Amino acid sequence: MKTTSLKTMICTAAMLTLGAGAAAGQTDEKLVINGETEIITEAPAPAHLEGALDTIYSGWEFRSPTTRAVQMDDFDNPGMIFVDKARQVWNTVDGTEGKSCASCHDDPADSMKGVRAVYPKWNEDAQEVRTLEMQINDCRTDRMGAEAWGYTDTGMTSMVALISLQSRGMPVDVAIDGPAQSTWEKGKELYYTRTGQLELSCANCHEDHYGDMIRADHLSQGQINGFPVYRLKNAKLNAVHSRFKGCVRDTRAETYKPGSPEFVALELYVASRGNGLDVEAPSVRN
Amino acid sequence: MELTRRGAIALGAGVAATLALPIRAMASVDEAIAEFTGGAEIGEGGLELITPEIAENGNTVPIEVSAPGATAITVLATGNPTPKVVTFNFGPLAGAQRASTRIRLAGTQDVMAVAKMSDGSFVSTSNNVKVTIGGCGG
Amino acid sequence: MAEGVRARVKVPSSASAGESVVIKTLISHPMESGQRKDSEGNIIPRSIIHRFVCDFNGQNVIDVNMQPAISTNPYFEFEAKIPESGEMKFTWYDDDGSVYEESKSVSVG
């Protein structure tokens, strides 16, 4: 029958299309923000992932067309309103030293360009790997004489978003060798360690099953190049460590604390799995 | 799960509540429509409602309504605890009788739009939106 | 007044006479629905922006009645006709009596 053969043809065509574009879940669409900033959302995996992944994908690729669209225009992206607020804070004096962020760092567009892309990063003076949050609080307490912010407070996450935005469209390139190597190794161990009553490691979902459905949702590779991320779920900007906490909790384990040495190490390792993907912050996810 | 007597009663009550809900919700949908139309008859055509077929999260669902020549368009989420969502009243300087926003949907349901046209007549349309439940809730 | 409310509006700075232009607005607001409970089981009282109005030179473009089903950080996109140069005024009305205002000028010519 004619209709049947047509249906078969459509089905076959659909299957071929699926087969052509990598695994299920990722889109072939390109992420272009404001019609001008092209973002790399698919890249060859960095060398250290050999044997684990061939290609790395931004979480944007796994989202539905409507969610993807919200990130393609800075006005539609509600994360930008938090960036606006942080920009105001950037220029506001706080603390005993009478300084604002701008007193030392002027315009973030110049001073913060490329910073997000290389964080977490080894700090020679402190002899530790530092996240952006740690660095911001160091500035606040040591240079401004201001109170430290809570690690995942909205004010902190908004400031991280403002700083991260200055690296948007630049590839993530965190250093994993030299003095940062032992922290990176620790993060890698955490990534592959099963935790909780469900006995799941990060890798069980985000390496072994990305692109597959988890209930009605597509599992991503758990890349953090888009953080901080505005989630439709809670309608606010979310920090990397908040997301880690949510994931670990869902394995039904006691989680580490945001800002803990364990999560700092994990952040360095997970960031390094995205070396080659562009910084997207503030991104939009479900 | 072991099904105890108490469990079975609770389960039964739950099912009854689930069944009762749509009827109650429908009543308030009818009320909301009547409030907008004043009980006038509702036709079809000339009103477009754009919604995603599947919403990844019910907290933030983008929608758009458009009805050339309308003076007002109201949107109802028929499966929400309170169905009224938003009413757009178009003024003399409206460039088009079109608007979009983001809404909350309590679950998979029909979203309905009703437009009041400039001649005083009413038209409506509705779309089903499937609201998915995220992976592990993280 | 809900804390730290901030509005963003997108309006073209110029238009030709009679042109219809696309306007976008976003305001940061929790839009507490009145349906949620706190950790002790008490209902968190409703606190939303319930009305949004856009006028141009005193003439109405759109008047929106908002219910708790509008998402956090309310977003609107609509079109406005620009008959002459003037000021586009945006007003949001909060349940708690606060009024948030924003304006942009549009030039024709």
PDB file of all heavy atoms in Angstrom, chain A residues 90-123:
ATOM      1  N   TRP A  90      29.798  45.378  41.645  1.00  0.00           N
ATOM      2  CA  TRP A  90      31.194  45.539  41.202  1.00  0.00           C
ATOM      3  C   TRP A  90      31.697  46.974  41.456  1.00  0.00           C
ATOM      4  O   TRP A  90      32.831  47.196  41.842  1.00  0.00           O
ATOM      5  CB  TRP A  90      31.283  45.195  39.711  1.00  0.00           C
ATOM      6  CG  TRP A  90      32.648  45.323  39.096  1.00  0.00           C
ATOM      7  CD1 TRP A  90      33.197  46.433  38.530  1.00  0.00           C
ATOM      8  CD2 TRP A  90      33.638  44.294  38.989  1.00  0.00           C
ATOM      9  NE1 TRP A  90      34.454  46.172  38.068  1.00  0.00           N
ATOM     10  CE2 TRP A  90      34.761  44.851  38.336  1.00  0.00           C
ATOM     11  CE3 TRP A  90      33.685  42.948  39.373  1.00  0.00           C
ATOM     12  CZ2 TRP A  90      35.916  44.131  38.056  1.00  0.00           C
ATOM     13  CZ3 TRP A  90      34.842  42.215  39.091  1.00  0.00           C
ATOM     14  CH2 TRP A  90      35.934  42.813  38.449  1.00  0.00           C
ATOM     15  N   ASN A  91      30.783  47.931  41.240  1.00  0.00           N
ATOM     16  CA  ASN A  91      31.145  49.349  41.366  1.00  0.00           C
ATOM     17  C   ASN A  91      30.803  49.942  42.727  1.00  0.00           C
ATOM     18  O   ASN A  91      30.933  51.152  42.920  1.00  0.00           O
ATOM     19  CB  ASN A  91      30.434  50.154  40.264  1.00  0.00           C
ATOM     20  CG  ASN A  91      30.937  49.778  38.881  1.00  0.00           C
ATOM     21  OD1 ASN A  91      32.135  49.764  38.622  1.00  0.00           O
ATOM     22  ND2 ASN A  91      30.015  49.425  37.985  1.00  0.00           N
ATOM     23  N   THR A  92      30.346  49.094  43.656  1.00  0.00           N
ATOM     24  CA  THR A  92      29.931  49.602  44.963  1.00  0.00           C
ATOM     25  C   THR A  92      31.006  49.336  46.018  1.00  0.00           C
ATOM     26  O   THR A  92      31.458  48.206  46.181  1.00  0.00           O
ATOM     27  CB  THR A  92      28.606  48.925  45.400  1.00  0.00           C
ATOM     28  OG1 THR A  92      27.657  49.101  44.358  1.00  0.00           O
ATOM     29  CG2 THR A  92      28.074  49.530  46.691  1.00  0.00           C
ATOM     30  N   VAL A  93      31.385  50.400  46.715  1.00  0.00           N
ATOM     31  CA  VAL A  93      32.400  50.276  47.773  1.00  0.00           C
ATOM     32  C   VAL A  93      31.834  49.469  48.938  1.00  0.00           C
ATOM     33  O   VAL A  93      30.685  49.648  49.331  1.00  0.00           O
ATOM     34  CB  VAL A  93      32.827  51.684  48.254  1.00  0.00           C
ATOM     35  CG1 VAL A  93      33.695  51.584  49.509  1.00  0.00           C
ATOM     36  CG2 VAL A  93      33.571  52.415  47.137  1.00  0.00           C
ATOM     37  N   ASP A  94      32.642  48.554  49.466  1.00  0.00           N
ATOM     38  CA  ASP A  94      32.231  47.728  50.597  1.00  0.00           C
ATOM     39  C   ASP A  94      33.462  47.463  51.465  1.00  0.00           C
ATOM     40  O   ASP A  94      34.572  47.341  50.946  1.00  0.00           O
ATOM     41  CB  ASP A  94      31.642  46.402  50.062  1.00  0.00           C
ATOM     42  CG  ASP A  94      30.877  45.642  51.133  1.00  0.00           C
ATOM     43  OD1 ASP A  94      30.700  46.176  52.246  1.00  0.00           O
ATOM     44  OD2 ASP A  94      30.434  44.505  50.850  1.00  0.00           O
ATOM     45  N   GLY A  95      33.288  47.410  52.786  1.00  0.00           N
ATOM     46  CA  GLY A  95      34.391  47.044  53.677  1.00  0.00           C
ATOM     47  C   GLY A  95      35.195  48.215  54.193  1.00  0.00           C
ATOM     48  O   GLY A  95      34.990  49.375  53.803  1.00  0.00           O
ATOM     49  N   THR A  96      36.141  47.884  55.087  1.00  0.00           N
ATOM     50  CA  THR A  96      36.902  48.903  55.821  1.00  0.00           C
ATOM     51  C   THR A  96      37.930  49.640  54.968  1.00  0.00           C
ATOM     52  O   THR A  96      38.386  50.723  55.333  1.00  0.00           O
ATOM     53  CB  THR A  96      37.648  48.247  56.998  1.00  0.00           C
ATOM     54  OG1 THR A  96      38.445  47.171  56.469  1.00  0.00           O
ATOM     55  CG2 THR A  96      36.671  47.685  58.029  1.00  0.00           C
ATOM     56  N   GLU A  97      38.322  49.070  53.835  1.00  0.00           N
ATOM     57  CA  GLU A  97      39.357  49.699  53.014  1.00  0.00           C
ATOM     58  C   GLU A  97      38.802  50.736  52.033  1.00  0.00           C
ATOM     59  O   GLU A  97      39.567  51.341  51.275  1.00  0.00           O
ATOM     60  CB  GLU A  97      40.152  48.635  52.236  1.00  0.00           C
ATOM     61  CG  GLU A  97      40.809  47.571  53.119  1.00  0.00           C
ATOM     62  CD  GLU A  97      41.777  48.187  54.127  1.00  0.00           C
ATOM     63  OE1 GLU A  97      42.667  48.937  53.703  1.00  0.00           O
ATOM     64  OE2 GLU A  97      41.622  47.923  55.337  1.00  0.00           O
ATOM     65  N   GLY A  98      37.487  50.851  51.994  1.00  0.00           N
ATOM     66  CA  GLY A  98      36.867  51.832  51.104  1.00  0.00           C
ATOM     67  C   GLY A  98      37.037  51.503  49.622  1.00  0.00           C
ATOM     68  O   GLY A  98      37.144  52.405  48.782  1.00  0.00           O
ATOM     69  N   LYS A  99      37.062  50.218  49.326  1.00  0.00           N
ATOM     70  CA  LYS A  99      37.270  49.819  47.925  1.00  0.00           C
ATOM     71  C   LYS A  99      36.076  49.054  47.366  1.00  0.00           C
ATOM     72  O   LYS A  99      35.343  48.396  48.103  1.00  0.00           O
ATOM     73  CB  LYS A  99      38.483  48.885  47.838  1.00  0.00           C
ATOM     74  CG  LYS A  99      39.820  49.569  48.008  1.00  0.00           C
ATOM     75  CD  LYS A  99      40.911  48.525  47.878  1.00  0.00           C
ATOM     76  CE  LYS A  99      42.285  49.135  48.088  1.00  0.00           C
ATOM     77  NZ  LYS A  99      43.313  48.084  48.196  1.00  0.00           N
ATOM     78  N   SER A 100      35.936  49.161  46.043  1.00  0.00           N
ATOM     79  CA  SER A 100      34.997  48.297  45.326  1.00  0.00           C
ATOM     80  C   SER A 100      35.828  47.369  44.456  1.00  0.00           C
ATOM     81  O   SER A 100      37.057  47.522  44.379  1.00  0.00           O
ATOM     82  CB  SER A 100      34.080  49.145  44.446  1.00  0.00           C
ATOM     83  OG  SER A 100      34.839  49.706  43.382  1.00  0.00           O
ATOM     84  N   CYS A 101      35.202  46.429  43.782  1.00  0.00           N
ATOM     85  CA  CYS A 101      35.941  45.561  42.840  1.00  0.00           C
ATOM     86  C   CYS A 101      36.629  46.452  41.807  1.00  0.00           C
ATOM     87  O   CYS A 101      37.783  46.240  41.433  1.00  0.00           O
ATOM     88  CB  CYS A 101      35.001  44.609  42.125  1.00  0.00           C
ATOM     89  SG  CYS A 101      34.012  43.566  43.199  1.00  0.00           S
ATOM     90  N   ALA A 102      35.869  47.495  41.357  1.00  0.00           N
ATOM     91  CA  ALA A 102      36.361  48.357  40.294  1.00  0.00           C
ATOM     92  C   ALA A 102      37.600  49.153  40.709  1.00  0.00           C
ATOM     93  O   ALA A 102      38.410  49.533  39.852  1.00  0.00           O
ATOM     94  CB  ALA A 102      35.255  49.313  39.852  1.00  0.00           C
ATOM     95  N   SER A 103      37.783  49.399  42.031  1.00  0.00           N
ATOM     96  CA  SER A 103      38.945  50.168  42.483  1.00  0.00           C
ATOM     97  C   SER A 103      40.243  49.528  41.984  1.00  0.00           C
ATOM     98  O   SER A 103      41.188  50.228  41.625  1.00  0.00           O
ATOM     99  CB  SER A 103      38.982  50.241  44.006  1.00  0.00           C
ATOM    100  OG  SER A 103      37.760  50.669  44.526  1.00  0.00           O
ATOM    101  N   CYS A 104      40.316  48.216  42.007  1.00  0.00           N
ATOM    102  CA  CYS A 104      41.535  47.533  41.546  1.00  0.00           C
ATOM    103  C   CYS A 104      41.396  47.015  40.121  1.00  0.00           C
ATOM    104  O   CYS A 104      42.342  47.003  39.356  1.00  0.00           O
ATOM    105  CB  CYS A 104      41.860  46.350  42.453  1.00  0.00           C
ATOM    106  SG  CYS A 104      42.269  46.801  44.143  1.00  0.00           S
ATOM    107  N   HIS A 105      40.190  46.546  39.779  1.00  0.00           N
ATOM    108  CA  HIS A 105      40.046  45.790  38.522  1.00  0.00           C
ATOM    109  C   HIS A 105      39.357  46.575  37.404  1.00  0.00           C
ATOM    110  O   HIS A 105      39.078  45.995  36.341  1.00  0.00           O
ATOM    111  CB  HIS A 105      39.268  44.497  38.777  1.00  0.00           C
ATOM    112  CG  HIS A 105      39.921  43.578  39.767  1.00  0.00           C
ATOM    113  ND1 HIS A 105      41.103  42.921  39.508  1.00  0.00           N
ATOM    114  CD2 HIS A 105      39.556  43.211  41.019  1.00  0.00           C
ATOM    115  CE1 HIS A 105      41.432  42.178  40.569  1.00  0.00           C
ATOM    116  NE2 HIS A 105      40.521  42.339  41.498  1.00  0.00           N
ATOM    117  N   ASP A 106      39.061  47.859  37.635  1.00  0.00           N
ATOM    118  CA  ASP A 106      38.428  48.696  36.611  1.00  0.00           C
ATOM    119  C   ASP A 106      37.229  48.019  35.954  1.00  0.00           C
ATOM    120  O   ASP A 106      36.357  47.522  36.621  1.00  0.00           O
ATOM    121  CB  ASP A 106      39.448  49.119  35.549  1.00  0.00           C
ATOM    122  CG  ASP A 106      40.521  50.023  36.126  1.00  0.00           C
ATOM    123  OD1 ASP A 106      40.173  50.830  37.009  1.00  0.00           O
ATOM    124  OD2 ASP A 106      41.688  49.897  35.718  1.00  0.00           O
ATOM    125  N   ASP A 107      37.260  47.993  34.639  1.00  0.00           N
ATOM    126  CA  ASP A 107      36.160  47.420  33.868  1.00  0.00           C
ATOM    127  C   ASP A 107      36.361  45.908  33.751  1.00  0.00           C
ATOM    128  O   ASP A 107      37.386  45.455  33.220  1.00  0.00           O
ATOM    129  CB  ASP A 107      36.149  48.059  32.469  1.00  0.00           C
ATOM    130  CG  ASP A 107      34.956  47.621  31.638  1.00  0.00           C
ATOM    131  OD1 ASP A 107      34.237  46.685  32.059  1.00  0.00           O
ATOM    132  OD2 ASP A 107      34.749  48.210  30.563  1.00  0.00           O
ATOM    133  N   PRO A 108      35.359  45.129  34.223  1.00  0.00           N
ATOM    134  CA  PRO A 108      35.536  43.666  34.142  1.00  0.00           C
ATOM    135  C   PRO A 108      35.729  43.177  32.704  1.00  0.00           C
ATOM    136  O   PRO A 108      36.349  42.132  32.482  1.00  0.00           O
ATOM    137  CB  PRO A 108      34.248  43.112  34.764  1.00  0.00           C
ATOM    138  CG  PRO A 108      33.260  44.234  34.743  1.00  0.00           C
ATOM    139  CD  PRO A 108      34.065  45.495  34.811  1.00  0.00           C
ATOM    140  N   ALA A 109      35.186  43.935  31.730  1.00  0.00           N
ATOM    141  CA  ALA A 109      35.316  43.508  30.329  1.00  0.00           C
ATOM    142  C   ALA A 109      36.782  43.369  29.927  1.00  0.00           C
ATOM    143  O   ALA A 109      37.136  42.542  29.089  1.00  0.00           O
ATOM    144  CB  ALA A 109      34.604  44.500  29.413  1.00  0.00           C
ATOM    145  N   ASP A 110      37.643  44.209  30.551  1.00  0.00           N
ATOM    146  CA  ASP A 110      39.075  44.104  30.253  1.00  0.00           C
ATOM    147  C   ASP A 110      39.785  43.203  31.257  1.00  0.00           C
ATOM    148  O   ASP A 110      40.474  42.260  30.893  1.00  0.00           O
ATOM    149  CB  ASP A 110      39.732  45.492  30.293  1.00  0.00           C
ATOM    150  CG  ASP A 110      39.088  46.441  29.297  1.00  0.00           C
ATOM    151  OD1 ASP A 110      38.764  45.968  28.182  1.00  0.00           O
ATOM    152  OD2 ASP A 110      38.905  47.623  29.631  1.00  0.00           O
ATOM    153  N   SER A 111      39.576  43.505  32.562  1.00  0.00           N
ATOM    154  CA  SER A 111      40.371  42.825  33.586  1.00  0.00           C
ATOM    155  C   SER A 111      40.000  41.359  33.780  1.00  0.00           C
ATOM    156  O   SER A 111      40.824  40.559  34.206  1.00  0.00           O
ATOM    157  CB  SER A 111      40.245  43.567  34.913  1.00  0.00           C
ATOM    158  OG  SER A 111      38.894  43.593  35.343  1.00  0.00           O
ATOM    159  N   MET A 112      38.771  40.990  33.479  1.00  0.00           N
ATOM    160  CA  MET A 112      38.328  39.629  33.761  1.00  0.00           C
ATOM    161  C   MET A 112      38.237  38.750  32.504  1.00  0.00           C
ATOM    162  O   MET A 112      37.805  37.611  32.577  1.00  0.00           O
ATOM    163  CB  MET A 112      36.968  39.652  34.480  1.00  0.00           C
ATOM    164  CG  MET A 112      37.051  40.265  35.861  1.00  0.00           C
ATOM    165  SD  MET A 112      38.093  39.295  36.988  1.00  0.00           S
ATOM    166  CE  MET A 112      39.018  40.581  37.827  1.00  0.00           C
ATOM    167  N   LYS A 113      38.630  39.306  31.380  1.00  0.00           N
ATOM    168  CA  LYS A 113      38.560  38.548  30.132  1.00  0.00           C
ATOM    169  C   LYS A 113      39.472  37.316  30.222  1.00  0.00           C
ATOM    170  O   LYS A 113      40.657  37.442  30.546  1.00  0.00           O
ATOM    171  CB  LYS A 113      39.005  39.430  28.972  1.00  0.00           C
ATOM    172  CG  LYS A 113      38.628  38.894  27.612  1.00  0.00           C
ATOM    173  CD  LYS A 113      39.012  39.907  26.528  1.00  0.00           C
ATOM    174  CE  LYS A 113      38.876  39.332  25.140  1.00  0.00           C
ATOM    175  NZ  LYS A 113      37.506  38.989  24.783  1.00  0.00           N
ATOM    176  N   GLY A 114      38.908  36.159  29.972  1.00  0.00           N
ATOM    177  CA  GLY A 114      39.709  34.932  29.965  1.00  0.00           C
ATOM    178  C   GLY A 114      39.904  34.277  31.319  1.00  0.00           C
ATOM    179  O   GLY A 114      40.447  33.177  31.410  1.00  0.00           O
ATOM    180  N   VAL A 115      39.465  34.952  32.383  1.00  0.00           N
ATOM    181  CA  VAL A 115      39.691  34.421  33.731  1.00  0.00           C
ATOM    182  C   VAL A 115      38.917  33.120  33.975  1.00  0.00           C
ATOM    183  O   VAL A 115      39.479  32.103  34.377  1.00  0.00           O
ATOM    184  CB  VAL A 115      39.334  35.488  34.797  1.00  0.00           C
ATOM    185  CG1 VAL A 115      39.334  34.892  36.189  1.00  0.00           C
ATOM    186  CG2 VAL A 115      40.313  36.659  34.719  1.00  0.00           C
ATOM    187  N   ARG A 116      37.603  33.156  33.692  1.00  0.00           N
ATOM    188  CA  ARG A 116      36.774  31.965  33.915  1.00  0.00           C
ATOM    189  C   ARG A 116      37.351  30.726  33.216  1.00  0.00           C
ATOM    190  O   ARG A 116      37.324  29.618  33.746  1.00  0.00           O
ATOM    191  CB  ARG A 116      35.352  32.219  33.399  1.00  0.00           C
ATOM    192  CG  ARG A 116      34.507  31.003  33.169  1.00  0.00           C
ATOM    193  CD  ARG A 116      33.729  30.576  34.387  1.00  0.00           C
ATOM    194  NE  ARG A 116      34.459  29.674  35.277  1.00  0.00           N
ATOM    195  CZ  ARG A 116      33.987  29.217  36.416  1.00  0.00           C
ATOM    196  NH1 ARG A 116      32.825  29.609  36.853  1.00  0.00           N
ATOM    197  NH2 ARG A 116      34.683  28.405  37.159  1.00  0.00           N
ATOM    198  N   ALA A 117      37.878  30.935  32.014  1.00  0.00           N
ATOM    199  CA  ALA A 117      38.332  29.818  31.189  1.00  0.00           C
ATOM    200  C   ALA A 117      39.444  29.004  31.848  1.00  0.00           C
ATOM    201  O   ALA A 117      39.605  27.816  31.557  1.00  0.00           O
ATOM    202  CB  ALA A 117      38.791  30.336  29.828  1.00  0.00           C
ATOM    203  N   VAL A 118      40.216  29.624  32.750  1.00  0.00           N
ATOM    204  CA  VAL A 118      41.357  28.915  33.341  1.00  0.00           C
ATOM    205  C   VAL A 118      41.142  28.565  34.813  1.00  0.00           C
ATOM    206  O   VAL A 118      42.057  28.069  35.490  1.00  0.00           O
ATOM    207  CB  VAL A 118      42.667  29.721  33.178  1.00  0.00           C
ATOM    208  CG1 VAL A 118      42.997  29.863  31.692  1.00  0.00           C
ATOM    209  CG2 VAL A 118      42.571  31.092  33.839  1.00  0.00           C
ATOM    210  N   TYR A 119      39.937  28.826  35.320  1.00  0.00           N
ATOM    211  CA  TYR A 119      39.625  28.492  36.726  1.00  0.00           C
ATOM    212  C   TYR A 119      38.845  27.196  36.823  1.00  0.00           C
ATOM    213  O   TYR A 119      38.040  26.930  35.939  1.00  0.00           O
ATOM    214  CB  TYR A 119      38.833  29.639  37.368  1.00  0.00           C
ATOM    215  CG  TYR A 119      39.719  30.588  38.150  1.00  0.00           C
ATOM    216  CD1 TYR A 119      40.446  31.561  37.482  1.00  0.00           C
ATOM    217  CD2 TYR A 119      39.842  30.482  39.520  1.00  0.00           C
ATOM    218  CE1 TYR A 119      41.282  32.423  38.185  1.00  0.00           C
ATOM    219  CE2 TYR A 119      40.666  31.351  40.234  1.00  0.00           C
ATOM    220  CZ  TYR A 119      41.378  32.319  39.565  1.00  0.00           C
ATOM    221  OH  TYR A 119      42.191  33.168  40.262  1.00  0.00           O
ATOM    222  N   PRO A 120      39.079  26.392  37.887  1.00  0.00           N
ATOM    223  CA  PRO A 120      39.944  26.564  39.049  1.00  0.00           C
ATOM    224  C   PRO A 120      41.429  26.558  38.658  1.00  0.00           C
ATOM    225  O   PRO A 120      41.816  25.887  37.694  1.00  0.00           O
ATOM    226  CB  PRO A 120      39.625  25.354  39.940  1.00  0.00           C
ATOM    227  CG  PRO A 120      38.282  24.882  39.474  1.00  0.00           C
ATOM    228  CD  PRO A 120      38.218  25.206  38.016  1.00  0.00           C
ATOM    229  N   LYS A 121      42.210  27.271  39.443  1.00  0.00           N
ATOM    230  CA  LYS A 121      43.598  27.524  39.079  1.00  0.00           C
ATOM    231  C   LYS A 121      44.502  27.496  40.316  1.00  0.00           C
ATOM    232  O   LYS A 121      44.088  27.913  41.399  1.00  0.00           O
ATOM    233  CB  LYS A 121      43.644  28.919  38.438  1.00  0.00           C
ATOM    234  CG  LYS A 121      44.940  29.316  37.841  1.00  0.00           C
ATOM    235  CD  LYS A 121      44.813  30.759  37.350  1.00  0.00           C
ATOM    236  CE  LYS A 121      46.179  31.302  36.957  1.00  0.00           C
ATOM    237  NZ  LYS A 121      46.116  32.729  36.655  1.00  0.00           N
ATOM    238  N   TRP A 122      45.729  27.026  40.127  1.00  0.00           N
ATOM    239  CA  TRP A 122      46.710  26.988  41.206  1.00  0.00           C
ATOM    240  C   TRP A 122      47.079  28.404  41.638  1.00  0.00           C
ATOM    241  O   TRP A 122      47.356  29.255  40.788  1.00  0.00           O
ATOM    242  CB  TRP A 122      47.968  26.246  40.743  1.00  0.00           C
ATOM    243  CG  TRP A 122      49.058  26.223  41.784  1.00  0.00           C
ATOM    244  CD1 TRP A 122      50.181  26.997  41.797  1.00  0.00           C
ATOM    245  CD2 TRP A 122      49.131  25.410  42.947  1.00  0.00           C
ATOM    246  NE1 TRP A 122      50.950  26.713  42.891  1.00  0.00           N
ATOM    247  CE2 TRP A 122      50.321  25.738  43.625  1.00  0.00           C
ATOM    248  CE3 TRP A 122      48.287  24.426  43.499  1.00  0.00           C
ATOM    249  CZ2 TRP A 122      50.710  25.125  44.817  1.00  0.00           C
ATOM    250  CZ3 TRP A 122      48.678  23.819  44.682  1.00  0.00           C
ATOM    251  CH2 TRP A 122      49.876  24.169  45.333  1.00  0.00           C
ATOM    252  N   ASN A 123      47.063  28.651  42.962  1.00  0.00           N
ATOM    253  CA  ASN A 123      47.477  29.941  43.489  1.00  0.00           C
ATOM    254  C   ASN A 123      48.792  29.732  44.227  1.00  0.00           C
ATOM    255  O   ASN A 123      48.846  29.049  45.252  1.00  0.00           O
ATOM    256  CB  ASN A 123      46.393  30.491  44.436  1.00  0.00           C
ATOM    257  CG  ASN A 123      46.725  31.874  44.970  1.00  0.00           C
ATOM    258  OD1 ASN A 123      47.765  32.076  45.598  1.00  0.00           O
ATOM    259  ND2 ASN A 123      45.843  32.829  44.709  1.00  0.00           N
TER     260      ASN A 123
END
